[in-house]
Amino acid sequence: ALDGLAASGITYNRFHTTSVCSPTRAALLTGRNAHRVGVGTVIEYPYPGYDWAWPKSTVSVARVLLDNGYSTAAFGKWHNTPSAEISPVGPFDRWPTGLGFQDFYGFMQGEDSQWEPLLYRDTTAVDAPKPAKGDYHFSTDITNEAIGWLQTQASLAPDKPYFLYYAAGGAHAPHHVGQEWIDKYRGRFDAGWDKYREEAFARQKRMGLIPQDAVLTPRPAELPAWNTLSADQRRLYARQMEVFAGFLEHTDHEIGRLLDRVRQGPNGKNTLVFYIVGDNGASGEGAIDGSDVGLANIIYGLPSTVDEQLSHVDQLGSKLYDNHYSAGWAWATGTPFRWMKRVASFFGGT
């Protein structure tokens, strides 16, 4: 889906990211620097000066469009409502439905299980549906919901413009996806992150995304060279990237389903699509070894050893684990840059 849009549209090679979820989303939804919205960091950490005020002077694009005749809806990850306000009694003015979206379906926090998420419809907690065939997956669910919303708009208000904000859980951790998607990438990353960077860098030159005389930045000293790793480390880290790649492709597949329905609509050829990849940049929050207990590691400092993860390596991506890849892959997938900002030895967007 991404390649199809790129081939028929415009590809941008500059993007400002605030490197964490909430500020990036606040900036996208308002067109302002996130600090102007009172969103200097993620909602879980309301430091002084970052009060999540959402002042009227930084109104959301959804509110502007709603007030000018558009239908509006948000599906997927939100992560822009203060944690203390995510409750049955609100207040609800900083929920999606209080910020210009007529409809919302998704989860409210920074990450959630893609197999067993805590879902909300508008401002009410709801159970995830139980498919008659196959397993439930959040990306499939929100795509179905978004398609249903588009069909309603096409049936009842075909001449009315709409704004649909679709924010998948991928490819943010946890990297949750079915085994059939993971297995497509088996062996693809065995050469490691150093080789991956070289190949990505060469592709970017061929595509004209970076100058032909650009020089690849060096690997930070804190990250080990792939050829210095043990066989167990290489086996684990390669599998982590296979899971991530499968998750990313599955996400793109679901976006493709949504785009197909957009094109079939009454204004399918008169619709502007922005496809932004990666949540808010490659994340090094898995630290060097990656993790199968992601949030527990970030919040409580409970790392997962290589041996522990290898003991169930073929179950990474399942509902049993909150899995994330090694920071080496965050560095590699951020090619061509060398991330200079360092937080507790994490490299990448954070």
Side-chain angles (χ1 to χ4, degrees), residues 19-79:
S19 299
V20 282
C21 311
S22 306
T24 295
R25 290 156 196 275
L28 284 171
L29 287 168
T30 61
R32 304 295 187 95
N33 184 294
H35 294 82
R36 299 293 295 274
V37 193
V39 186
T41 185
V42 292
I43 58 173
E44 288 81 5
Y45 302 103
Y47 295 115
Y50 302 144
D51 56 6
W52 283 87
W54 278 87
K56 299 299 182 183
S57 60
T58 57
V59 67
S60 75
V61 61
R63 171 60 64 188
V64 173
L65 294 177
L66 177 64
D67 291 348
N68 283 275
Y70 279 65
S71 299
T72 59
F75 299 92
K77 171 179 170 177
W78 180 248
H79 205 200

Side-chain angles (χ1 to χ4, degrees), residues 62-220:
R63 171 60 64 188
V64 173
L65 294 177
L66 177 64
D67 291 348
N68 283 275
Y70 279 65
S71 299
T72 59
F75 299 92
K77 171 179 170 177
W78 180 248
H79 205 200
N80 280 119
T81 299
S83 299
E85 298 178 11
I86 303 174
S87 85
V89 295
F92 300 115
D93 56 316
R94 290 187 280 189
W95 286 59
T97 52
L99 292 167
F101 290 104
Q102 294 170 300
D103 299 286
F104 169 70
Y105 180 79
F107 63 83
M108 296 291 290
Q109 299 289 2
E111 69 172 68
D112 207 337
S113 169
Q114 301 296 286
W115 302 113
E116 300 172 328
L118 177 60
L119 295 174
Y120 289 85
R121 187 177 299 280
D122 299 333
T123 59
T124 302
V126 296
D127 291 330
K130 297 179 179 180
K133 295 182 179 179
D135 294 323
Y136 171 91
H137 194 281
F138 179 74
S139 298
T140 304
D141 185 16
I142 61 170
T143 303
N144 292 341
E145 289 280 337
I147 288 173
W149 186 84
L150 285 173
Q151 290 172 333
T152 299
Q153 299 301 310
S155 298
L156 302 179
D159 297 324
K160 191 175 184 180
Y162 65 84
F163 173 58
L164 190 159
Y165 174 70
Y166 177 100
H172 194 289
H175 301 154
H176 281 171
V177 69
Q179 198 67 41
E180 68 275 16
W181 294 91
I182 300 171
D183 287 345
K184 294 173 69 172
Y185 291 90
R186 188 175 290 277
R188 288 280 295 276
F189 304 101
D190 288 356
W193 46 60
D194 295 290
K195 183 65 174 178
Y196 176 92
R197 283 193 93 224
E198 294 172 2
E199 294 174 347
F201 194 67
R203 280 195 299 271
Q204 290 170 356
K205 285 192 176 183
R206 289 197 299 270
M207 297 171 68
L209 297 178
I210 57 177
Q212 292 302 306
D213 60 353
V215 178
L216 186 59
T217 53
R219 176 174 34 79

Side-chain angles (χ1 to χ4, degrees), residues 192-338:
W193 46 60
D194 295 290
K195 183 65 174 178
Y196 176 92
R197 283 193 93 224
E198 294 172 2
E199 294 174 347
F201 194 67
R203 280 195 299 271
Q204 290 170 356
K205 285 192 176 183
R206 289 197 299 270
M207 297 171 68
L209 297 178
I210 57 177
Q212 292 302 306
D213 60 353
V215 178
L216 186 59
T217 53
R219 176 174 34 79
E222 293 87 349
L223 288 175
W226 187 262
N227 60 14
T228 67
L229 300 174
S230 69
D232 281 349
Q233 287 175 309
R234 292 196 299 269
R235 178 182 166 217
L236 172 63
Y237 301 160
R239 188 58 173 175
Q240 291 170 347
M241 189 61 180
E242 292 167 8
V243 175
F244 173 82
F247 188 27
L248 190 62
E249 185 185 351
H250 178 258
T251 302
D252 181 78
H253 166 77
E254 294 297 336
I255 292 172
R257 286 207 302 127
L258 177 60
L259 290 176
D260 286 344
R261 185 62 190 86
V262 168
R263 295 184 182 105
Q264 296 165 13
N267 290 294
K269 294 183 179 180
N270 189 32
T271 302
L272 182 64
V273 177
F274 292 96
Y275 189 146
I276 299 170
V277 186
D279 194 67
N280 39 251
S283 165
E285 291 161 305
I288 298 299
D289 290 332
S291 176
D292 56 14
V293 291
L295 277 179
N297 182 30
I298 294 170
I299 298 173
Y300 303 111
L302 300 175
S304 308
T305 67
V306 170
D307 289 343
E308 287 172 338
Q309 294 180 76
L310 277 177
S311 69
H312 46 249
V313 69
D314 289 332
Q315 293 179 299
L316 297 180
S318 73
K319 65 181 66 177
L320 298 176
Y321 299 102
D322 181 8
N323 54 293
H324 196 3
Y325 61 15
S326 166
W329 291 118
W331 166 67
T333 54
T335 303
F337 304 107
R338 173 182 175 179

